[in-house]
Amino acid sequence: KHQMADAPAAPTPGSEAPAGEGFKGGFGGRGRGRGGRGRGRGRGRGRGRGRGRGRGRGGDKGDKEWVPATKLGRLVKDQKIKTLEEIYLFSLPVKEFEIIDYFLPGLKDEVLKIMPVQKQTTAGQRTRFKAIVALGDFAGHVGLGVKCSKEVATAIRGAIILGKLSIVPVRRGYWGNKLGAPHTIPCKVTGKCGSSSMRLIPAPRGTGIVAAPVPKKLLTMAGIEDIYTQSVGATATLGNFAKATFMAIGKTYSFLTPDLWKETVFTKSPYEEYTDYLAKKHDPEARRVAA
């Protein structure tokens, strides 16, 4: 009886025991009652994974009408800018993914990887999910998006939006005779991310895409039919491997070849050309009422 009276009472799940003193399991309640600090938090987060995945990517965003928030968005919606190439010509930053949806309605996306990432906190580990998504129209445009979120569905949705904002044009060319449609890249290009380095080499017609599974998806989405690849470094790091390939593809328009030596005729950028138009129509509320 005397011993039982001296024993300390077990703390409730909500009680806060000071860190570093005798009792170590004061935060067990936050992990849904599965152990102390470390295990409880980690396992509790992990169970929400299945629920998040089943919610779908879309939601009811597609039903709402797009109200542009940027000058570029207003010019695109009012059909002052006709093609995506006009935006690339003047290196205008795209801040709204709806601009890409407007010009590339046939854009396809594919999830390359979903991986859990953890941060160590005082209450244990905080688990989030990182999604890597590749996008392309199989006709000269490709993008790569990476997003981290508490739920898988939210991470995928965010990665798709970021992928759309990162869409770049792909320059295609020939290996030998310039017969038929362009089928490969015009020159050798290299991209690097972390220790992963990717080199793309033009190939003759009929070769196909000679590459590992990850870059093969990106190159197929870019609309390249024949290519050789050479990779160096830790290609098992999928994120860096995909980024290195994406950077290499983006460099195809950076390389100046003799057929681009023509004299450049400078024209006004869309912002200069339609400056009066943008000054008139600047109130989104008025535009919404008028519509």
Side-chain angles (χ1 to χ4, degrees), residues 2 4 13 30 74 106 134 174 200 234 272 286:
H2 181 67
M4 286 180 70
R30 292 197 190 177
R74 280 156 55 199
Y174 299 90
L200 307 180
E272 289 179 53

Side-chain angles (χ1 to χ4, degrees), residues 131-146:
I132 302 168
V133 178
L135 298 98
D137 64 348
F138 299 87
H141 297 94
V142 71
L144 185 70
V146 181

Side-chain angles (χ1 to χ4, degrees), residues 115-137:
M115 56 188 287
V117 290
Q118 290 185 324
K119 177 185 176 182
Q120 186 70 38
T121 64
T122 52
Q125 293 97 4
R126 187 190 69 184
T127 307
R128 295 199 299 171
F129 298 101
K130 184 179 179 182
I132 302 168
V133 178
L135 298 98
D137 64 348

